[in-house]
Amino acid sequence: MRSTRSSPPALALVARLAPHNNRTIWPQLLILAVLGLSVDLRWFERAWPPHLAVFNKVLLLDAGIYAFVALCPIAGTGFDLRLRLRDLTTGLREFVLYLPIALTLGFALGFLHLHPIGAVDGLLLGHFAEAWLFTFFFIAVPEELFFRGWLQNLLERRMGRTAALVVASVLFGLSHFNKRTAFFNWRYVLLAAIAGIFYGRAWGRDRSVGASAVAHSTVDAVWSLFLR
């Protein structure tokens, strides 16, 4: 727990030393690398009971918000929880565009497996809503703020929009290398990286984390209920 307590002061120091201009992005990338690795490599998950491990990601998200909102603000992140109709339509559009690619590749690679639907319509709708809301608040918003609102946003300043979208999506895919397996899960990495393209497009349309989180939540909810 000592390393957990020392992380916010270290992030604060880096954020305070960061030059306040739109071209120098290495201090912010350094902070993102520390936060991202601590989540991916599960440095602090042992501090939580297994069923509360999701709060590890939320705690680190708070540390990032402290660094990038209070100390060294990053403009144009598009982070708030006031969903607009445009966020919903943009997110669902990108979900629909990604779906045929995910299904084709997923079944061809043996990553996706269709589950029979045995629940009555009302119960199934309730399960879907529950999965969608949980994913939105505890998975999609933190990950979309990190990869789109911060990482893709920063990279755009040095690389341009297309290159930043590709790089952020590849890194998003690689962050899934150890999910659901003890080894490098290249199928998950590939599908997540492609999904990242569509999430990044959703964010980039209006620079809204809400839009990309809608796409992300819908993909994950459909996958967890029907295709995992």
Side-chain angles (χ1 to χ4, degrees):
M1 292 301 292
R2 183 178 302 171
S3 58
T4 307
R5 290 195 300 267
S6 63
S7 294
L11 297 180
L13 176 61
V14 174
R16 283 296 188 188
L17 294 176
H20 292 275
N21 61 69
N22 288 329
R23 297 291 295 172
T24 303
I25 63 174
W26 69 263
Q28 293 93 329
L29 293 180
L30 176 61
I31 292 173
L32 290 179
V34 172
L35 293 175
L37 289 173
S38 64
V39 171
D40 254 17
L41 301 181
R42 301 164 182 165
W43 289 347
F44 304 134
E45 278 194 4
R46 287 179 296 177
W48 302 90
H51 63 286
L52 296 177
V54 67
F55 287 102
N56 178 62
K57 184 180 295 184
V58 174
L59 177 66
L60 292 165
L61 173 68
D62 290 342
I65 292 174
Y66 174 60
F68 295 138
V69 175
L71 298 177
C72 184
I74 297 177
T77 61
F79 173 58
D80 62 55
L81 298 180
R82 295 173 297 176
L83 278 179
R84 302 167 300 172
L85 179 61
R86 186 177 176 89
D87 295 331
L88 291 170
T89 56
T90 298
L92 291 176
R93 182 197 65 193
E94 296 302 322
F95 161 75
V96 169
L97 292 175
Y98 171 61
L99 184 61
I101 299 173
L103 293 177
T104 301
L105 271 178
F107 285 122
L109 296 174
F111 181 76
L112 297 180
H113 306 279
L114 186 63
H115 289 179
I117 302 173
V120 297
D121 290 344
L123 186 60
L124 182 63
L125 183 61
H127 286 324
F128 183 84
E130 181 181 1
W132 195 96
L133 289 171
F134 179 88
T135 303
F136 182 84
F137 287 108
F138 294 106
I139 298 174
V141 168
E143 291 186 2
E144 292 309 306
L145 178 59
F146 183 94
F147 284 100
R148 259 55 72 172
W150 291 336
L151 181 60
Q152 185 174 329
N153 185 4
L154 288 169
L155 292 176
E156 280 186 1
R157 303 177 186 184
R158 299 302 299 267
M159 306 173 65
R161 297 191 68 173
T162 301
L165 171 63
V166 172
V167 171
S169 299
V170 169
L171 292 175
F172 177 72
L174 289 172
S175 73
H176 293 75
F177 81 97
N178 61 351
K179 303 296 190 296
R180 302 183 69 226
T181 180
F183 305 100
F184 188 88
N185 194 343
W186 66 270
R187 295 174 180 85
Y188 204 160
V189 167
L190 176 61
L191 286 168
I194 297 172
I197 295 288
F198 292 90
Y199 302 162
R201 281 164 42 95
W203 174 81
R205 179 173 183 180
D206 296 311
R207 305 185 80 81
S208 169
V209 169
S212 58
V214 166
H216 191 154
S217 301
T218 309
V219 168
D220 279 14
V222 169
W223 173 55
S224 65
L225 288 178
F226 307 119
L227 298 169
R228 180 180 292 185

